Amino acid sequence: IDFGFKPLVGIGNLVWIDNDNNNIYSPNEGINGVLMELYKPGYGPDNIAGNADDDQVVQTTYTFNGGNGDGTYLFGDYPGTYIVKIPASQFQLGGPLFAYTSLFGNGSDNQQDDNEDENGVNVGLPNVDGVESVPITLSVNGEILNEPGFPFFTGPFDGNIDFTIDFGFTLGCTLMATCTSQPQTICMPNDGSAATMVSGTRGNISY
């Protein structure tokens, strides 16, 4: 009677609101209750390549207070390449991130924590497409040790866990366009871009 075991790896860290607009995490900015999804591209929940579930969610969890503050999350699974995603539902009316947009100019995974970078990638509109990380490859004893930032994580399994995948958000700007007496309000990203759809030949735009 044999029992075989395989070590797990982990991925996680923090979802936060940039209330002080400094583009990095500050104390008490974490947000609980955000739905997080884990994907394993090309494999899916059954961990077998080429099946119908290859693009389906592997795991879900919610951000919570892990003892050091609000907004933390953690997934555990077998070694491989993963994407962490916050689905569109979280940015829609009634969701915890309604009217928020991902911090601009970030998205890469350099294995630095929230005091240096943020890992959300806007693949479209957050309330339509959600926000996700780039693909992250996890291996046993292949992850950075003693990650800086919040919350600090260390221990015997630190080499198996990438605890640096952060998602920071800020309120999007609101653009009001009035033309031929038909106003439209559009929430846009904070990267300086703006767009609207109006009819007619003239009108007033304020933001």
Side-chain angles (χ1 to χ4, degrees), residues 8 37 66 73 79 85 94 102 145 153 176 179 186:
L8 296 178
E37 297 178 340
Y73 74 94
K85 181 175 183 177
S102 187
L145 300 177
F153 181 84
M176 173 66 76
C179 192
I186 302 175

Side-chain angles (χ1 to χ4, degrees), residues 25-182:
Y25 172 79
S26 300
N28 302 314
E29 288 187 334
I31 179 171
N32 293 335
V34 177
L35 175 63
M36 309 296 293
E37 297 178 340
L38 184 69
Y39 291 82
K40 192 173 187 179
Y43 289 89
D46 64 4
N47 207 35
I48 300 174
N51 288 350
D53 69 347
D54 286 359
D55 60 351
Q56 294 181 11
V57 177
V58 174
Q59 293 184 42
T60 62
T61 190
Y62 287 89
T63 57
F64 67 104
N65 188 315
N68 294 314
D70 295 335
T72 58
Y73 74 94
L74 178 65
F75 292 106
D77 213 308
Y78 295 113
T81 299
Y82 294 89
I83 290 174
V84 179
K85 181 175 183 177
I86 302 177
S89 61
Q90 304 303 283
F91 301 92
Q92 296 167 1
L93 184 64
L97 295 173
F98 174 67
Y100 285 93
T101 185
S102 187
L103 290 176
F104 176 67
N106 300 300
S108 63
D109 175 41
N110 59 6
Q111 292 195 319
Q112 298 297 313
D113 211 349
D114 39 73
N115 60 343
E116 295 187 31
D117 82 326
E118 184 271 345
N119 304 109
V121 177
N122 284 322
V123 295
L125 295 174
N127 63 343
V128 176
D129 305 291
V131 173
E132 63 187 43
S133 71
V134 297
I136 310 293
T137 299
L138 304 173
S139 61
V140 175
N141 295 322
E143 306 310 312
I144 189 172
L145 300 177
N146 301 320
E147 298 97 323
F150 173 86
F152 185 81
F153 181 84
T154 187
F157 303 107
D158 192 8
N160 297 356
I161 301 174
D162 186 343
F163 208 51
T164 70
I165 308 304
D166 314 301
F167 294 85
F169 296 94
T170 186
L171 278 174
C173 66
T174 299
L175 178 68
M176 173 66 76
T178 304
C179 192
T180 63
S181 301
Q182 296 184 9

